[in-house]
Amino acid sequence: MLTAAATQTAFHVDAVRFAVGERTLLGPVSLELQRSRVYGLIGHNGSGKSTLVKLLARQQPASSGDIRFAERPLAGWGARELARALAYLPQTTPAATGLTVRELAALGRYPWHGALGRFGPQDRSHIEEALALTDMSAFADRLVDELSGGERQRAWLAMLVAQNAGVMLLDEPISALDIAHQVEVLGLVRDLSRKRDLCVVVVLHDPNMAARYCDELIALKQGRLLTRGTPAEIMQVEVLKDIFGVEMGVLKHPVSGQPIGYVQ
């Protein structure tokens, strides 16, 4: 994890652009992301949300522009050093055939000692803590393949927590889940950010879920940064119309008072 003395700025993105051939998929985009906050990336399909997350995770290089992570060029980080500081969960997780939940969580410790290194007491402590924080201790000896969708996502989050990174990048972590599991997973992500001082960037399709669980929403449209702000600032009729291109209304939740958007 980034040390307590590290800057509160997790990412500084300066005029970043990503293109495939002559087609620009993202950019130029400039923004800063801070620690201890949950950022929700929203926008229609093809707006560049997943592309931005992949660039932040160094899963693909930017065509131009500059990304700094913890005040250092992202490209200058060593692979293991970066894995210790940054955890990434792709939209489609790889197969975990034959792995128990505890074994999957243990994969998060590999950046700290390598695949051939021996697990020590500190590694085991991080794994058990990760299982507890994600409410997966009771499932520790279950096979990942036997879990429900929501339980499986929590197992993958346990791996990221065990990684002990200061940043989590999550690409559509609730897209295949029912509403109950969506609430469960996003509530967990928000709690982890608070408890561990994490910067979390999460790609979401539902603006209401984003507004409920994120500190700030960042809206992309056609590869450009359209707007960003608090949920109250973004959940406005005209703003939502600009983002999604459809007529939307906004009302207050009868209990929480939080804004809720709906298609008219």
Side-chain angles (χ1 to χ4, degrees):
M1 183 180 290
L2 300 177
T3 65
T7 175
Q8 285 299 305
T9 299
F11 288 100
H12 181 83
V13 180
D14 184 18
V16 162
R17 176 176 169 271
F18 180 77
V20 177
E22 298 297 320
R23 183 186 177 198
T24 296
L25 301 181
L26 181 75
V29 168
S30 297
L31 53 81
E32 286 192 7
L33 302 173
Q34 304 295 319
R35 302 261 325 263
S36 304
R37 293 183 69 77
V38 180
Y39 295 94
L41 291 183
I42 62 174
H44 56 74
N45 289 341
S47 61
K49 303 184 299 295
S50 293
T51 298
L52 177 57
V53 167
K54 289 177 182 177
L55 293 178
L56 296 177
R58 211 172 70 178
Q59 296 297 301
Q60 56 194 23
S63 301
S64 61
D66 179 63
I67 300 177
R68 297 182 68 82
F69 176 50
E71 302 297 343
R72 293 169 50 191
L74 182 61
W77 286 71
R80 182 177 294 183
E81 181 188 26
L82 184 63
R84 291 176 176 179
L86 186 155
Y88 167 63
L89 188 66
Q91 187 174 349
T92 302
T93 54
T97 306
L99 291 179
T100 66
V101 171
R102 181 177 281 108
E103 290 168 340
L104 178 62
L107 295 178
R109 297 305 301 163
Y110 283 146
W112 295 92
H113 54 68
L116 299 179
R118 293 185 177 181
F119 272 46
Q122 186 176 30
D123 294 304
R124 295 187 180 89
S125 175
H126 279 297
I127 292 167
E128 295 307 316
E129 180 186 20
L131 293 173
L133 284 173
T134 55
D135 199 24
M136 291 301 287
S137 297
F139 299 85
D141 297 320
R142 292 269 303 275
L143 290 174
V144 176
D145 288 345
E146 296 177 351
L147 302 178
S148 69
E151 292 163 352
R152 193 177 303 117
Q153 282 296 77
R154 292 213 317 269
W156 281 101
L157 286 173
M159 184 194 76
L160 267 63
V161 174
Q163 195 170 330
N164 202 34
V167 172
M168 280 189 183
L169 305 175
L170 310 174
D171 192 355
E172 299 190 30
I174 63 170
S175 60
L177 305 182
D178 59 36
I179 292 178
H181 286 126
Q182 289 180 23
V183 170
E184 183 179 82
V185 168
L186 290 180
L188 170 61
V189 167
R190 183 180 60 187
D191 289 346
L192 288 173
S193 174
R194 304 291 190 267
K195 292 176 180 177
R196 291 202 156 196
D197 193 31
L198 303 182
C199 170
V200 178
V201 181
V202 54
V203 175
L204 296 169
H205 280 296
D206 186 343
N208 291 319
M209 284 293 187
R212 179 173 177 178
Y213 291 102
C214 299
D215 299 302
E216 186 172 348
L217 307 185
I218 299 172
L220 299 178
K221 188 171 185 178
Q222 297 178 341
R224 300 294 186 98
L225 175 60
L226 180 64
T227 187
R228 65 183 295 181
T230 65
E233 292 169 334
I234 299 300
M235 298 297 286
Q236 301 286 336
V237 171
E238 291 303 319
V239 178
L240 291 174
K241 180 180 178 181
D242 287 344
I243 296 171
F244 296 104
V246 295
E247 295 289 342
M248 295 188 69
V250 177
L251 52 79
K252 288 186 177 181
H253 190 283
V255 177
S256 68
Q258 291 180 319
I260 300 173
Y262 61 92
V263 177
Q264 291 186 342

